[in-house]
Amino acid sequence: MPDDEDTSAGVILSGEENAAVRVKLEREKRGWSTTTVSDLLNEAGFDMNPSAVWRIENRKRRINLDEAIGFAEVFGVPLTNFVGPPRLATMGRAMELIDGVVAAYRASHRANHEAREARDRLDAYLADHPDIREEADVMVSNAIATEMTKINEEYGPDSET
């Protein structure tokens, strides 16, 4: 397994490895002992003793999903942040922004997929009704041009986003 110097440099590791590093980082950042972390986990309903916390931190024991959820809860961080690369994860705002970029990408991908499906449905319909294709294509082009104008006004170079 990588040593602490490698992991603190933000090397992308497995989620489990990231979580082990993160337990120690979060505990030390708060000045908590392994006993304090253990007590907080137990109070939150996650059974763990101080030596288990130490063994997880030192990669002598694997962390399971329920325990990762417990640590994330006790440390007050989202689970995805908790298992992310330690260097980025300790910068919570960076992880929030990264999550935002990923969510926007997913939404964009879904929207593109939906647009392709809508166009495919229209094309299939127009294949059965070729007499209205030209007029329908003009209507679609005009509607898209109008939407593009609105989008450019809202998000263009002169907008304040």
Side-chain angles (χ1 to χ4, degrees):
M1 287 188 190
D3 60 30
D4 286 348
E5 288 179 8
D6 289 340
T7 56
S8 65
V11 175
I12 304 291
L13 307 167
S14 71
E16 186 174 356
E17 179 73 12
N18 290 344
V21 171
R22 189 70 186 274
V23 168
K24 187 171 187 173
L25 289 172
E26 292 295 331
R27 182 183 62 75
E28 289 177 345
K29 180 169 77 174
R30 291 165 174 74
W32 293 350
S33 67
T34 55
T35 301
T36 301
V37 173
S38 169
D39 290 346
L40 291 168
L41 284 165
N42 290 323
E43 288 172 20
F46 300 93
D47 187 35
M48 184 166 298
N49 62 47
S51 78
V53 174
W54 182 92
R55 288 192 321 270
I56 288 169
E57 287 182 1
N58 290 281
R59 277 93 97 224
K60 307 284 185 200
R61 176 186 180 284
R62 297 185 69 167
I63 185 171
N64 68 41
L65 179 59
D66 288 338
E67 292 166 343
I69 292 168
F71 280 114
E73 185 178 311
V74 164
F75 294 134
V77 297
L79 184 60
T80 55
N81 181 311
F82 180 72
V83 298
R87 182 175 171 159
L88 289 179
T90 59
M91 295 180 262
R93 181 66 178 143
M95 289 301 293
E96 289 172 11
L97 294 170
I98 290 167
D99 288 345
V101 168
V102 171
Y105 174 80
R106 285 182 183 144
S108 173
H109 184 72
R110 276 192 303 274
N112 284 333
H113 178 75
E114 290 171 11
R116 278 191 308 275
E117 286 184 335
R119 185 62 210 211
D120 290 348
R121 285 190 301 273
L122 177 61
D123 286 342
Y125 181 82
L126 293 176
D128 292 338
H129 304 289
D131 54 312
I132 62 169
R133 176 174 282 285
E134 187 175 329
E135 186 177 1
D137 284 341
V138 168
M139 288 178 67
V140 169
S141 294
N142 288 342
I144 290 174
T146 300
E147 287 302 310
M148 291 302 294
T149 299
K150 290 176 186 175
I151 290 168
N152 286 334
E153 288 172 358
E154 187 173 348
Y155 299 107
D158 296 332
S159 69
E160 296 184 23
T161 57

